[in-house]
Amino acid sequence: RMLAARFAPDDLGVYFAAFRVPNLVFELLVMGAITSSFIPVFTKYIVAKRENEAWAMSSVLITLTTIVLALLAVPLFIWADALCRLLAPGFTTAQQVQMATFTRFLLVFQVVPLLVGNYFTGILQSFRLFLIPAAAPVIYNVGIIASILVFTPAYGLMAPVIGVGIGAFLFLGIQLPLLFTIGYRYRPMVSLTHPGVREVGRLVAPRTIGLAASQVDTTVDLVLASLLGARMVTIFNFAQHLAQLPVGLFG
């Protein structure tokens, strides 16, 4: 609602389209690993009172996925312009350039803190701590809303993009005090032989395949909507937000 009140639908379409590549990377790299693989394996160590092994496993996974993210992000960052032309063929040249700029920003300032922050969420939930992990996405959105209010007069459509970056770091930061309270310490580690890491690797593959299929669907939606202009990308996104409301609340 804040976005719709301040920006034209044609402009907002560029903003929404810029999330496609970062969200694709994030969903494939993080969501499958955490929801179906990391939490059950991590919880097993905690229940068995093997916290040091749990900390080691989480450190290895955070390090490995960050490295994989960097390897993926570099070519996406370099060829963002060509990728945006492919994903939004109906946009004007100026809109595609703007979309590429936003995409690069989001790859760095959204995906990285959200990647680490979602591991932190999984750790806290494994300790049956749910209030702060539930508040973190709210704080993420507060960062976006605050940026819309404060930065829009000076930066225009870049304001909510900046807000996404601020919100992502708030999402990460709000969980840190509680993590330190339960004794968590991150140590940069790389190991493919840790049994917990290997178990997560075995579990994550089927989930990632399923997520990849859903990402194809979402990407095709963007391509088709863009052929009708950036305005239709905005309308389609708003319709999706409304349709997903009951799923988000109850599903």
Side-chain angles (χ1 to χ4, degrees), residues 7-91:
F7 304 104
D10 278 324
D11 295 330
L12 277 182
V14 178
Y15 170 77
F16 288 127
F19 281 89
R20 181 79 298 268
V21 173
N23 284 353
L24 172 65
V25 173
F26 177 77
E27 290 282 342
L28 295 181
L29 195 59
V30 179
M31 295 311 295
I34 291 178
T35 55
S36 64
S37 309
F38 173 74
I39 291 178
V41 177
F42 185 88
T43 303
K44 185 169 65 175
Y45 281 112
I46 297 302
V47 171
K49 306 297 183 182
R50 298 160 63 186
E51 290 189 5
N52 288 336
E53 292 184 55
W55 302 143
M57 185 193 78
S58 64
S59 294
V60 170
L61 287 171
I62 290 174
T63 303
L64 286 175
T65 49
T66 302
I67 292 171
V68 173
L69 171 62
L71 294 175
L72 286 173
V74 169
L76 292 175
F77 196 93
I78 295 172
W79 290 298
D81 291 282
L83 198 56
C84 289
R85 289 195 296 270
L86 182 66
L87 293 175
F91 283 10

Side-chain angles (χ1 to χ4, degrees), residues 137-222:
V138 178
I139 298 299
Y140 170 80
N141 283 296
V142 168
I144 300 174
I145 292 170
S147 294
I148 293 172
L149 292 172
V150 174
F151 297 130
T152 297
Y155 297 104
L157 191 59
M158 190 66 189
V161 179
I162 295 171
V164 169
I166 294 173
F169 280 100
L170 291 174
F171 174 88
L172 172 67
I174 192 177
Q175 301 182 79
L176 290 175
L178 190 55
L179 275 169
F180 294 144
T181 299
I182 64 175
Y184 177 75
R185 294 294 183 272
Y186 169 75
R187 291 180 296 151
M189 301 171 62
V190 175
S191 172
L192 298 178
T193 59
H194 189 289
V197 174
R198 294 171 70 89
E199 186 173 357
V200 169
R202 286 194 298 269
L203 293 173
V204 76
R207 173 66 172 164
T208 301
I209 293 171
L211 286 170
S214 68
Q215 292 302 307
V216 171
D217 176 50
T218 307
T219 303
V220 171
D221 288 342
L222 171 60

